[in-house]
């Protein structure tokens, strides 16, 4: 079952500490760009290229920035950050499986959504799709997401982490208060 | 070795995200609508504990200061935060929990990921105009921490020693985690129901 906040908080704290102890702070949203770049490079092999000096670069300005860091990672997906995100999915999948899953109904439409907007899966899926679009556009503009900016950023006392967290909650709380007026058991 | 560590730390992080309920849009929505703050308390405790362990570890030489990775501060961080917050409330997932939720069997998380891949692609395409708008110009020195952490190479906003301040802020996060009510609305309603 889901852990209480103390057990969960200690476990999560140890996980993000272990990350910075052994390698580097956790982060996720960059890997959406890397996966996009891997797919796009299959469709258009001219997207990611190497210079005569052997450095990775791209015809896309975003992939080419920072000395082609993203282009390099898309060309070599077997790197720490990409495998980290794959492993994140495996770990979450194992946890969900061990606790017996979320139930067929909740997997289709989560309880809080159902209480407020009904049982139609297409509505929920449309909202999830739109939400995903806005979240990742925002995360790339911000240069990180809840993992990289909020958890890792605040943990390191970085100014950008505070700015990001302020922005995220300033928008998320009013939107949630407007959307989820009816409560549901979790 | 780095791939082994990625599997270990990523796997642990994903497992814990699921166990604290972060992969459940109902838990997330109830947190953001200020109905149940259990998840918020867990995240604050985690950040505080992580901070204390990291900075204390640096002071005794156990943690390599070079492992820190501070991101640049610029106006787009705030604007992007506003966008992410909006989508977070609508979609019920952030990038990590969307992936984790899909792995746990949630169908809507697959749509969130598809939207996310398209949103990231949209940013790749519009990046030159975002840059031209000046949204990416760094503020307050860019890669800075609140206090300068010895050996990190990052400047501090204020004169205090960054690692000492980091431990104090970590303790503050832990204190806030304990002080926040788990059910802020029910607590108000409780005395009325008892009468």
């Amino acid at each position: 079952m889901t852990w209480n906040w103390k057990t969960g908080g200690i476990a999560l704290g140890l996980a993000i500490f272990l990350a910075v102890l052994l390698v580097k702070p956790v982060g996720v949203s960059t890997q959406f760009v890397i996966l996009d770049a891997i797919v796009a490079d299959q469709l258009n092999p001219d997207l990611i290229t190497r210079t005569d000096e052997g450095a990775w670069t791209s015809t896309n300005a975003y992939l080419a920035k920072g000395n082609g860091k993203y282009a390099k990672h898309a060309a070599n997906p077997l790197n720490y950050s990409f495998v980290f995100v794959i492993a994140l999915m495996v770990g979450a999948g194992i946890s969900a499986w061990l606790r017996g899953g979320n139930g067929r109904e909740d997997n289709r439409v989560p309880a809080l959504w159902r209480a407020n907007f009904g049982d139609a899966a297409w509505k929920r899926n449309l909202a999830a799709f739109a939400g995903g679009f806005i979240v990742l556009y925002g995360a790339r503009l911000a240069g990180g997401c809840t993992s990289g900016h909020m958890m890792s950023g605040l943990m390191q006392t970085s100014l950008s982490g505070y700015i990001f967290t302020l922005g995220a909650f300033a928008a998320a709380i009013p939107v949630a208060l407007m959307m989820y007026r009816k409560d549901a058991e979790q | 070795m780095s791939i082994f560590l990625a599997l270990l730390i990523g796997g642990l992080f994903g497992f814990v995200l699921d166990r604290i309920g972060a992969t459940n849009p109902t838990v997330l929505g109830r947190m953001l609508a200020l109905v149940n703050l259990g998840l918020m308390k867990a995240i604050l405790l985690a950040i505080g504990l992580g901070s204390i362990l990291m900075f204390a570890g640096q002071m005794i030489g156990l943690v390599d200061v070079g492992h820190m990775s501070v991101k640049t501060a610029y106006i787009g961080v705030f604007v992007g935060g506003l966008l992410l917050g909006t989508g977070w409330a609508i979609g019920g997932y952030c990038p990590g929990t969307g992936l984790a939720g899909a792995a746990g069997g949630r169908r809507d998380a697959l749509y969130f990921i598809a939207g996310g891949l398209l949103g990231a692609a949209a940013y790749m395409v519009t990046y030159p105009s975002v840059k031209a708008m000046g949204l990416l110009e760094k503020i307050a020195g860019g890669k800075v921490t609140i206090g300068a952490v010895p050996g990190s190479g990052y400047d501090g906003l204020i004169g205090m020693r960054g690692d000492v301040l980091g431990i104090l802020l970590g303790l503050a996060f832990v204190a806030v985690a304990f002080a926040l009510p788990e059910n802020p609305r029910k607590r108000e309603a409780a005395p009325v129901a008892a009468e």
Side-chain angles (χ1 to χ4, degrees):
Chain A
M1 253 352 273
T2 306
W3 292 335
N4 68 42
W5 73 268
K6 278 182 213 165
T7 310
I10 290 169
L12 184 63
L14 291 176
I16 62 178
F17 168 67
L18 204 62
V20 80
L21 171 69
L22 297 175
V23 188
K24 62 173 185 176
V26 297
V28 175
S29 68
T30 305
Q31 305 316 312
F32 279 76
V33 172
I34 302 301
L35 183 56
D36 275 338
I38 292 169
V39 174
D41 192 50
Q42 296 300 315
L43 302 175
N44 170 19
D46 297 333
L47 179 69
I48 295 172
T49 52
R50 293 188 94 152
T51 63
D52 293 339
E53 291 83 42
W56 292 98
T57 189
S58 171
T59 47
N60 177 276
Y62 190 58
L63 296 178
K65 85 176 180 97
N67 296 322
K69 181 177 57 175
Y70 294 162
K72 182 186 172 192
H73 280 174
N76 308 283
L78 206 63
N79 62 74
Y80 174 83
S81 302
F82 197 73
V83 174
F84 173 89
V85 168
I86 305 290
L88 180 159
M89 295 183 73
V90 175
I94 291 172
S95 165
W97 177 67
L98 286 176
R99 63 178 168 77
N102 313 304
R104 184 194 286 254
E105 267 305 284
D106 216 59
N107 275 339
R108 205 173 68 83
V109 178
L112 183 65
W113 182 273
R114 201 173 325 115
N116 285 276
F117 304 104
D119 200 29
W122 71 267
K123 269 195 218 171
R124 170 59 198 155
N125 292 337
L126 190 65
F129 184 86
F133 185 96
I134 305 170
V135 164
L136 262 302
Y137 192 92
R140 288 338 296 158
L141 171 57
C145 62
T146 338
S147 304
H149 262 315
M150 200 180 288
M151 290 189 204
S152 300
L154 294 181
M155 177 179 82
Q156 299 177 93
T157 72
S158 72
L159 174 66
S160 53
Y162 281 92
I163 296 174
F164 173 85
T165 304
L166 204 67
F169 283 106
I173 292 174
V175 173
L177 284 171
M178 280 187 286
M179 285 183 72
Y180 307 117
R181 289 172 187 272
K182 290 182 194 150
D183 194 18
E185 286 303 310
Q186 60 190 40
Chain B
M1 187 59 190
S2 116
I3 297 303
F4 169 75
L5 289 174
L7 290 170
L8 176 81
I9 303 166
L12 177 68
F13 186 56
F15 190 96
V16 176
L17 280 182
D18 184 73
R19 282 301 152 128
I20 62 174
T23 54
N24 184 345
T26 299
V27 174
L28 194 272
R30 295 181 90 217
M31 174 187 96
L32 293 178
L34 310 176
V35 175
N36 186 309
L37 300 182
L39 177 60
M40 176 58 53
K41 286 159 78 76
I43 294 172
L44 288 169
L45 177 59
I47 291 168
L49 181 64
S51 229
I52 296 166
L53 291 174
M54 183 185 79
F55 286 115
Q58 287 177 359
M59 289 169 102
I60 59 170
L62 181 74
V63 179
D64 185 351
V65 183
H67 284 187
M68 282 180 75
S69 175
V70 170
K71 293 175 189 279
T72 312
Y74 49 90
I75 300 297
V77 173
F78 187 73
V79 181
L82 288 173
L83 286 172
L84 181 137
T86 306
W88 199 22
I90 296 172
Y93 298 107
C94 61
T97 60
L99 294 166
R106 294 192 176 276
R107 302 293 297 273
D108 55 346
L110 293 172
Y111 288 84
F112 179 90
I113 294 169
L117 288 169
L118 200 64
Y123 187 74
M124 282 167 62
V125 175
T126 55
Y127 170 73
S129 30
V130 170
K131 199 175 177 190
M133 282 161 72
L135 280 172
L136 307 182
E137 302 291 325
K138 63 184 179 184
I139 50 174
K143 293 190 177 193
V144 295
T145 47
I146 306 297
V149 179
S152 71
Y154 301 115
D155 284 333
L157 265 189
I158 61 171
M160 207 173 155
R161 235 184 100 144
D163 46 4
V164 177
L165 184 63
I167 292 175
L168 293 175
L169 284 169
L171 289 169
F173 273 96
V174 173
V176 174
F178 275 89
L180 270 186
E182 195 156 354
N183 303 292
R185 294 187 179 183
K186 270 183 192 155
R187 180 166 286 192
E188 289 165 25
V192 183
E195 278 172 23

